[in-house]
Amino acid sequence: MTSSSGAHDTHAASGTGRDAADHLQGGGGPNPPQAPVAQPGESLAREAWRRLRHNRAAMASLVLLALMAVICIAGPWFMPWDLAEVDWNAFGVAPTLEGQHWLGTDANGRDLLTRTLYGGRVSLSVALVATLVSLVIGVLYGAISGYVGGRTDNLMMRFVDIMYSLPFMFLVILLMVVFGRNIFLIYAAIGAVEWLDMARIVRGQTLSLKRREFIEAAHALGVRDSKIVTRHLIPNSIGPVIIYVTLTVPKVILLESFLSFLGLGVQEPLTSWGVLISEGTSNMQGAPWMLIVPATFLAVTLFCLNFLGDGLRDALDPRTR
Amino acid sequence: MSTPLLEIDNLKVDFELPTGTVSAVKGVSFHIDQGETVALVGESGSGKSVTSTALMRLLPEMAKISGAIRLDGEDLTQVSASRMRRLRGNEFSMIFQEPMTSLNPLHRIGRQIAEVLHRHRGVSGSQARTRVLELLDQVGIPEPERRISSYPHELSGGQRQRVMIAMALACEPRLLIADEPTTALDVTVQAQILDLLRNLQKRYGMAILFITHDLSLVRRFAERVCVMRYGELVESGETAKVFNDPQHDYTRMLLDAEPRGSKAAVAEDAPVLLSGQDVRVRFTTKKRLFGKSDYFEAVRGIDLTVRRGQTVGIVGESGSGKSTLGRALLRLLKSQGQLRFEDTDITDFDKSRMRPLRSRMQVVFQDPFGSLSPRLTVGEIISEGLKVHFPELDRREREARVIESLEEVALDPAMRKRYPHEFSGGQRQRIAIARALVLKPDFLLLDEPTSALDRSVQMTVIELLRHLQQKYNLTYVFISHDLAVVRALSDTVLVMKEGQVVEQGSAESIFRAPQEAYTKALLKAAFLDTAA
């Protein structure tokens, strides 16, 4: 009796048990495309990649971003002009296809395209490193703080509050005094500030997740705390984290330009998109290309990042097919 | 009666999704007369809620409606949005399932009710206040003078549902749509709300469209019943007739879905597997840096003995501490009092000392949607415990164990590559059972494992649990507010209220001859057909 009812009731469960929401979402019905046979642990990443490939906007953004990175890294080697090389015959020349300066020159007669590409190297690397630093520290810190809870959480979050209340400029100047001027210092300083937000976001996520029954089930299975954090908590808070990362990158690029503008960041003749844009702004009326060129590079990058972030968030969620 | 109050004629609702069209309601026709109660019954996904939302014209944009909905001959699918707004609240109104979320937490309840009056009747000021007080009194809110300025969080679930009813009745509608109005409430409160609705119905002479999945409520409450399945009306007619002589197989199946039978008794001298003495659980409600903190005691000194092969049922309403007790037994929560598992005193065991025992005592939770991590495949979820307790197994052996346990719960092993969201509630609950079973436990804590499921699915899960218990001589602690299920499964029953045991004894004696007033009230409210 029991075994025959077993066969019958799976049928009943798959038929009547699906609720309205399932019906609305599950356009694919009960037979979604079978995932390729994958090893446990790898499957999420591989599945995510498969889903990301179907997202045309995200893929286009990914290609564009890769292209942007390649031309910023390799481009300067093929340019006829150097970063600091002044063309004494062309001060503030507008973009032209005939001459040697396709995207014009700046007020000091330096090739704008060359400088924008060099600036891209700085901006992109600052964005990458500082965001990674903030991501790793912030996610771990926030997850641990939220998961352990109690007094530890209190202490850890008060430390974050203290860091928040330190004036950012003060921190940077302090670092400058101690370590001297260095581009890695910018990475460190920005990373040291950006992870605070991330930690708060992840902690909030963790607090709401840790009351969920699947975490409790993991406890009941005897899963170690470290595993619960890395296997259950962090993957499930990835959605807001990715959104926040895509917001952090532009913030970091702008922060860097702010520092450079104050003379605390990159130094002439080295430049960054932020610096170029702020220079461009002051020449906006007479020579709009000085603003438009670096701003276009920055805008395209940020635009792509947003699309990519959106696509990633969807791709990493198994609920979206 | 010549023209019915509400007439639904061949109603179809299609949802146009990017992936294709989903038909939620496929040509449903029925009518409601003046002052009549019609129940719309069906399991989740049957289209009953979509039908009622279509009546209110509250469906999302992507829904395409065809057919006619006539209220007093006026076709609601054709009227303008502003006319519809006037009709809602005035001619018909609706109460929802979730009293927790359907009131705005930022406004006092008096104001929320008065808003309805203001919008539809143009009544305001002291006139509105008088009417609000009258309404609160009618829906049985004690001390309406004081309660009128309460915020929703200050009221209990039942009271909130009463406020919702007061809002719905403010303009004396002729039709009230009640969408699972009591599902989220405790059984005793459920009964009160239904009584209230019936009294108000007499008083205002309104018709009620009562949407529910619970057939026992229908029998008590509705004059006519319409049974829906997969968006179609499979049967309708007088309640008594449908219940006594169901024509359609599906109706018969639904009526038959009440859990039956009782558990074969276990020998009196079976070894004690788990026992607790004077178990207490405290939650800190307010922590002070200096001096004593404030506590709330959720479980107040409970003794409990579970013998091998037994099922101990714990029943109680929400807030009775039954789930807390269950978690304390597994040492998922800190507790005072002595706990023993077989011969081991586990009272003071910490996480690492509990770990070896974890494979032998497992748990299945209530919420089939919350108890599985959405980012892991079913195979990963089930094998997680194996990695902890049987690290010597290699991947292929683990895989074999996962397949075995999926077969055990009657799921296709090929499904281990999929993610939890692709499964229905009943299937997810099976996955949760498989996750526990794969470790070959002796003891299973079942915390309302069937409460979130449809009746027919519930049955199959209960059958599965019974079958597994027999096969592996499992020991269960079964926590539930559903007395019918507890009766069918348990050897002994504990009735809990406010953290204490009100009554305990064999299932037989508790259900046949309850001693305490509280137990009697519970049984009565649950509409169980027991010989008194």
Side-chain angles (χ1 to χ4, degrees):
Chain A
M1 153 75 197
T2 31
S3 65
S4 71
S5 85
H8 157 76
D9 56 39
T10 6
H11 173 71
S14 61
T16 56
R18 296 181 77 86
D19 59 34
D22 276 27
H23 270 301
L24 296 184
Q25 292 174 354
N31 291 314
Q34 188 68 50
V37 179
Q39 295 175 3
E42 272 181 24
S43 57
L44 184 65
R46 207 181 289 185
E47 282 256 298
W49 173 238
R50 188 180 59 77
R51 278 190 292 263
L52 189 67
R53 271 202 322 241
H54 288 294
N55 187 335
R56 227 173 279 157
M59 283 316 284
S61 302
L62 189 64
V63 170
L64 253 173
L65 273 177
L67 205 71
M68 183 72 81
V70 168
I71 63 168
C72 284
I73 293 166
W77 299 330
F78 302 103
M79 293 302 294
W81 301 95
D82 195 43
L83 173 69
E85 198 176 334
V86 176
D87 183 350
W88 296 97
N89 301 318
F91 288 100
V93 169
T96 160
L97 284 177
E98 276 116 57
Q100 291 191 307
H101 306 285
W102 296 339
L103 294 180
T105 58
D106 68 2
N108 297 324
R110 293 174 296 189
D111 185 60
L112 197 56
L113 179 57
T114 310
R115 288 184 66 73
T116 307
L117 293 182
Y118 271 106
R121 284 181 174 181
V122 173
S123 287
L124 288 179
S125 65
V126 170
L128 189 73
V129 174
T131 307
L132 267 180
V133 168
S134 84
L135 186 71
V136 172
I137 302 181
V139 168
L140 277 178
Y141 194 94
I144 291 171
S145 172
Y147 178 69
V148 176
R151 185 166 303 204
T152 318
D153 179 35
N154 236 328
L155 278 174
M156 287 175 83
M157 286 337 270
R158 287 308 79 74
F159 174 70
V160 168
D161 292 345
I162 292 169
M163 290 292 287
Y164 258 119
S165 55
L166 278 183
F168 176 59
M169 292 318 302
F170 174 70
L171 191 75
V172 174
I173 294 168
L174 207 74
L175 285 172
M176 296 277 167
V177 172
V178 179
F179 296 106
R181 188 165 278 165
N182 188 334
I183 188 150
F184 291 102
L185 222 56
I186 305 175
Y187 298 162
I190 296 178
V193 173
E194 286 305 317
W195 71 266
L196 300 172
D197 290 323
M198 186 64 81
R200 281 191 170 174
I201 288 170
V202 174
R203 172 179 173 266
Q205 284 287 311
T206 308
L207 284 181
S208 71
L209 279 173
K210 81 171 179 178
R211 295 273 161 253
R212 295 275 296 275
E213 284 183 343
F214 68 87
I215 302 289
E216 228 174 328
H219 278 297
L221 288 170
V223 180
R224 278 166 207 285
D225 290 339
S226 56
K227 269 269 170 199
I228 291 183
V229 170
T230 53
R231 210 174 136 86
H232 292 286
L233 288 177
I234 292 179
N236 277 297
S237 52
I238 207 112
V241 166
I242 286 186
I243 297 290
Y244 192 71
V245 164
T246 56
L247 295 176
T248 308
V249 172
K251 220 165 112 187
V252 165
I253 291 178
L254 296 178
L255 250 180
E256 179 275 328
S257 76
F258 169 61
L259 284 180
S260 302
F261 180 74
L262 289 176
L264 296 167
V266 290
Q267 285 305 299
E268 286 285 354
L270 194 60
T271 187
S272 73
W273 285 345
V275 176
L276 287 171
I277 288 172
S278 75
E279 279 171 8
T281 334
S282 48
N283 295 316
M284 197 161 62
Q285 268 154 358
W289 65 89
M290 289 190 204
L291 174 63
I292 292 169
V293 170
T296 308
F297 273 78
L298 180 64
V300 168
T301 307
L302 300 188
F303 213 68
C304 290
L305 273 169
N306 274 322
F307 272 119
L308 183 63
D310 247 23
L312 271 179
R313 183 201 49 188
D314 290 345
L316 284 169
D317 190 342
R319 276 165 293 196
T320 51
R321 287 204 193 96
Chain B
M1 213 156 280
S2 52
T3 41
L5 174 65
L6 180 84
E7 194 178 2
I8 291 179
D9 191 13
N10 200 20
L11 176 73
K12 288 182 187 153
V13 181
D14 294 326
F15 288 97
E16 283 174 3
L17 303 175
T19 46
T21 307
V22 177
S23 306
V25 179
K26 307 168 189 165
V28 165
S29 308
F30 64 93
H31 68 275
I32 303 174
D33 287 327
Q34 215 83 240
E36 186 190 33
T37 303
V38 174
L40 199 56
V41 186
E43 306 201 307
S44 46
S46 63
K48 57 186 195 303
S49 286
V50 176
T51 306
S52 69
T53 351
L55 296 188
M56 296 288 275
R57 287 251 310 263
L58 290 173
L59 287 170
E61 290 280 305
M62 58 180 178
K64 296 283 166 281
I65 304 178
S66 70
I69 303 168
R70 278 186 289 272
L71 185 75
D72 269 343
E74 185 178 11
D75 191 346
L76 295 183
T77 57
Q78 306 300 329
V79 302
S80 69
S82 64
R83 169 82 182 131
M84 198 62 207
R85 259 198 305 280
R86 222 167 312 132
L87 287 173
R88 279 185 213 132
N90 248 337
E91 295 293 315
F92 56 94
S93 55
M94 190 163 182
I95 48 180
F96 299 93
Q97 176 173 356
E98 274 300 331
M100 303 297 162
T101 51
S102 40
L103 289 169
N104 186 335
L106 294 180
H107 294 305
R108 299 174 196 278
I109 59 165
R111 192 176 147 191
Q112 298 193 42
I113 301 172
E115 195 188 349
V116 182
L117 286 168
H118 181 67
R119 177 131 324 147
H120 289 292
R121 292 280 148 95
V123 184
S124 53
S126 64
Q127 233 181 327
R129 187 182 156 83
T130 325
R131 175 74 179 133
V132 170
L133 286 175
E134 190 186 76
L135 280 166
L136 286 177
D137 188 48
Q138 278 173 11
V139 298
I141 299 262
E143 300 176 79
E145 286 282 349
R146 197 164 65 82
R147 284 299 179 190
I148 193 171
S149 50
S150 303
Y151 286 98
H153 72 266
E154 297 173 290
L155 304 176
S156 69
Q159 284 175 327
R160 266 181 264 196
Q161 200 58 291
R162 283 166 195 269
V163 172
M164 281 304 296
I165 294 172
M167 277 171 77
L169 294 181
C171 298
E172 303 178 18
R174 288 193 293 158
L175 172 67
L176 179 70
I177 302 171
D179 190 354
E180 307 252 4
T182 60
T183 308
L185 305 172
D186 282 328
V187 275
T188 49
V189 185
Q190 237 174 47
Q192 291 163 9
I193 295 284
L194 287 180
D195 281 343
L196 172 72
L197 279 177
R198 207 168 1 200
N199 290 337
L200 291 170
Q201 182 178 27
K202 268 186 209 133
R203 183 169 190 151
Y204 288 101
M206 63 187 173
I208 296 183
L209 176 62
F210 185 67
I211 295 154
T212 186
H213 66 273
D214 193 340
L215 283 167
S216 60
L217 297 180
V218 173
R219 198 183 325 213
R220 304 271 154 155
F221 195 64
E223 281 132 35
R224 281 191 304 122
V225 58
C226 303
V227 183
M228 280 187 78
R229 182 197 198 185
Y230 302 147
E232 284 161 18
L233 203 63
V234 297
E235 186 163 0
S236 65
E238 306 283 316
T239 307
K241 214 167 136 202
V242 170
F243 273 76
N244 293 331
D245 182 23
Q247 298 300 313
H248 196 278
D249 285 345
Y250 181 67
T251 319
R252 235 169 279 151
M253 195 272 283
L254 275 184
L255 287 170
D256 206 33
E258 194 99 323
R260 291 246 174 72
S262 59
K263 191 177 168 303
V266 172
E268 284 286 312
D269 55 349
V272 173
L273 187 68
L274 182 77
S275 68
Q277 256 162 33
D278 195 31
V279 179
R280 287 168 190 277
V281 181
R282 280 174 166 182
F283 294 114
T284 313
T285 49
K286 197 174 179 184
K287 214 163 198 166
R288 297 202 183 89
L289 202 51
F290 303 104
K292 251 187 165 171
S293 305
D294 291 343
Y295 291 109
F296 166 72
E297 210 165 43
V299 175
R300 307 174 179 188
I302 285 189
D303 299 331
L304 170 98
T305 311
V306 189
R307 291 178 189 278
R308 191 177 279 276
Q310 257 191 341
T311 300
V312 173
I314 302 180
V315 296
E317 303 194 312
S318 53
S320 62
K322 55 187 194 303
S323 287
T324 311
L325 173 66
R327 280 164 175 70
L329 291 179
L330 286 191
R331 292 211 48 76
L332 290 172
L333 279 177
K334 280 207 179 81
S335 61
Q336 279 99 49
Q338 203 186 33
L339 280 178
R340 297 182 74 83
F341 185 75
E342 284 186 329
D343 300 324
T344 328
D345 187 340
I346 58 171
T347 312
D348 298 315
F349 274 26
D350 58 10
K351 267 185 196 159
S352 56
R353 289 174 75 196
M354 275 306 290
R355 195 162 290 131
L357 286 174
R358 289 264 176 239
S359 69
R360 303 189 47 204
M361 42 208 298
Q362 274 301 306
V363 57
V364 175
F365 290 108
Q366 169 178 6
D367 181 5
F369 297 88
S371 65
L372 307 173
S373 173
R375 307 228 170 207
L376 298 178
T377 63
V378 168
E380 288 166 339
I381 288 170
I382 297 176
S383 61
E384 181 158 41
L386 289 176
K387 284 186 191 157
V388 176
H389 296 285
F390 304 98
E392 70 278 4
L393 298 179
D394 65 25
R395 193 178 336 122
R396 207 171 327 122
E397 288 167 319
R398 271 206 305 271
E399 192 103 346
R401 292 279 289 270
V402 168
I403 291 172
E404 191 189 331
S405 71
L406 277 172
E407 279 167 351
E408 199 79 80
V409 297
L411 283 178
D412 181 2
M415 291 179 173
R416 68 187 185 282
K417 300 281 199 291
R418 305 221 194 135
Y419 288 92
H421 71 273
E422 297 172 40
F423 294 90
S424 68
Q427 288 173 319
R428 287 185 217 202
Q429 211 56 299
R430 283 164 193 275
I431 296 168
I433 294 171
R435 166 173 62 189
L437 272 189
V438 78
L439 299 174
K440 307 211 184 308
D442 298 305
F443 172 74
L444 262 188
L445 172 70
L446 303 165
D447 189 355
E448 308 244 17
T450 60
S451 302
L453 306 176
D454 281 328
R455 263 290 183 209
S456 59
V457 183
Q458 236 178 46
M459 281 289 288
T460 63
V461 172
I462 288 170
E463 277 307 318
L464 173 69
L465 288 171
R466 266 186 182 154
H467 165 66
L468 293 171
Q469 182 167 40
Q470 274 171 11
K471 189 167 173 189
Y472 295 108
N473 194 25
L474 289 172
T475 309
Y476 292 156
V477 163
F478 190 92
I479 299 170
S480 184
H481 66 268
D482 188 340
L483 297 163
V485 177
V486 172
R487 177 168 64 175
L489 274 180
S490 315
D491 292 288
T492 59
V493 174
L494 250 75
V495 182
M496 278 185 76
K497 189 192 182 191
E498 289 165 9
Q500 280 165 327
V501 173
V502 178
E503 187 169 356
Q504 66 176 313
S506 71
E508 187 74 14
S509 66
I510 295 262
F511 286 101
R512 278 278 143 72
Q515 299 301 310
E516 298 295 321
Y518 181 70
T519 318
K520 284 179 190 161
L522 267 185
L523 288 179
K524 182 160 173 280
F527 302 136
L528 282 183
D529 309 312
T530 31

